[in-house]
Amino acid sequence: MLTSLAGLVAQALDRARLYDTKQDVAHGLQQALLPRTLPSIDGLRVAARYLPATHGMDIGGDFYDLIRLDGAAAAAVIGDVQGHNVAAAALMGQVRIGVHAHTALGAPPDRVLAGVNRLLTDLSPDLFTSCLYACLDFSGGCVSLASAGHPPPLLRLPGRATRPLDVPPGPLLGIDPDAEFPVTRIPLVPGMTLAFYTDGLIETPGVDFEDSMNQLAGELDRADDRDLDLDKLVDTLLRTSGTAGQRTDDVALLVLRFTDRHQVY
């Protein structure tokens, strides 16, 4: 009996070690695919978070990025690959690389999404992928956005109510190789805030999607315009949305606040 028991204990220890190894590999993969730091860009304050789902391997396909284009422009992107496993994380890495590659070529938002869409169509990953891409043109005073089936960003202007920005979406990436992605342009106003997020932040069982989105807009609306600590703002949005505890989906959140480019902090 003791010999049999010892064999069972040994098998349990082997499985525990194997699980720990898989967790370490998964976490290493996730950290390698997400940006370690975001670039410092004059005229822009930024804060971001990624929270994995609290079940499974603690990895997923949500991602965000901020890309410096030149001295007068930058690109912000957020996306969501279906799933919370290694396959979702690996595809997320391919999407990020595709976005960077087309951004480096100077493509506008619709062409960036079209290029990544063709890449995923060729790969046939069998996973749905949404993405929201924004080009921030500081010299031209304009923000150009294109969406591939992603939830709309929240727009907060000084002295006005926060609202979801109307960005007509194209289809999800990797479905139709000839898909088109409409471009929406808005003025870049000093003091404005844009919040990019994935659906894991607002999806709640039994609650209408638009109601959850409007609730998040209300939380952002209550933020103090004078508060320049966006990290605190991001923590508040995560806490009030109920994602600080158990999560059935991973969450990505990217908040941008535009300032006077000649103002020194």
Side-chain angles (χ1 to χ4, degrees):
M1 181 186 298
L2 290 175
T3 301
S4 300
L5 181 60
L8 293 174
V9 171
Q11 292 177 19
L13 288 174
D14 285 341
R15 287 194 293 268
R17 292 192 185 100
L18 179 60
Y19 178 81
D20 289 340
T21 300
K22 289 182 176 179
Q23 287 289 92
D24 291 341
V25 171
H27 289 162
L29 174 64
Q30 186 79 66
Q31 294 302 316
L33 294 177
L34 288 172
R36 293 185 179 181
T37 59
L38 296 176
S40 176
I41 297 175
D42 186 27
L44 184 67
R45 291 188 171 269
V46 58
R49 294 287 188 281
Y50 170 78
L51 300 176
T54 53
H55 62 86
M57 300 183 69
D58 290 342
I59 62 173
D62 286 15
F63 69 94
Y64 59 85
D65 216 339
L66 182 66
I67 307 169
R68 184 193 302 275
L69 299 180
D70 53 40
V77 59
I78 193 164
D80 184 354
V81 177
Q82 177 189 14
H84 325 109
N85 51 31
V86 173
L91 181 60
M92 175 264 282
Q94 292 174 314
V95 173
R96 277 198 67 215
I97 292 172
V99 168
H100 272 262
H102 287 88
T103 299
L105 295 174
D110 56 333
R111 303 315 304 164
V112 170
L113 293 185
V116 177
N117 178 58
R118 286 192 296 271
L119 170 66
L120 294 191
T121 303
D122 292 339
L123 294 175
S124 301
D126 296 326
L127 292 175
F128 296 116
T129 303
S130 68
C131 188
L132 177 65
Y133 184 96
C135 178
L136 319 174
D137 182 0
F138 296 100
S139 61
C142 176
V143 179
S144 303
L145 307 99
S147 171
H150 200 83
L154 301 180
L155 171 64
R156 183 184 185 203
L157 293 170
R160 299 185 185 180
T162 302
R163 60 180 176 85
L165 186 61
D166 184 15
V167 180
L172 295 170
L173 299 175
I175 297 177
D176 179 7
D178 300 318
E180 296 182 355
F181 304 92
V183 175
T184 300
R185 294 179 176 84
I186 61 172
L188 195 160
V189 180
M192 69 182 278
T193 301
L194 281 173
F196 299 74
Y197 55 92
T198 55
D199 56 8
L201 183 64
I202 60 174
E203 277 189 338
T204 304
V207 179
D208 183 77
F209 189 85
E210 290 191 4
D211 290 342
S212 296
M213 188 164 52
N214 290 330
Q215 181 178 354
L216 180 65
E219 294 297 336
L220 180 58
D221 198 52
R222 284 186 280 273
D224 190 343
D225 279 321
R226 297 168 297 176
D227 183 11
L228 297 178
D229 191 344
L230 291 189
D231 286 313
K232 290 183 179 179
L233 172 60
V234 167
D235 290 338
T236 298
L237 294 178
L238 292 174
R239 183 177 62 255
T240 55
S241 65
T243 56
Q246 296 295 313
R247 293 178 297 276
T248 59
D249 195 3
D250 43 340
V251 173
L253 175 61
L254 176 66
V255 177
L256 311 173
R257 178 168 293 166
F258 300 88
T259 63
D260 187 343
R261 289 175 64 84
H262 300 291
Q263 186 175 356
V264 178
Y265 293 93

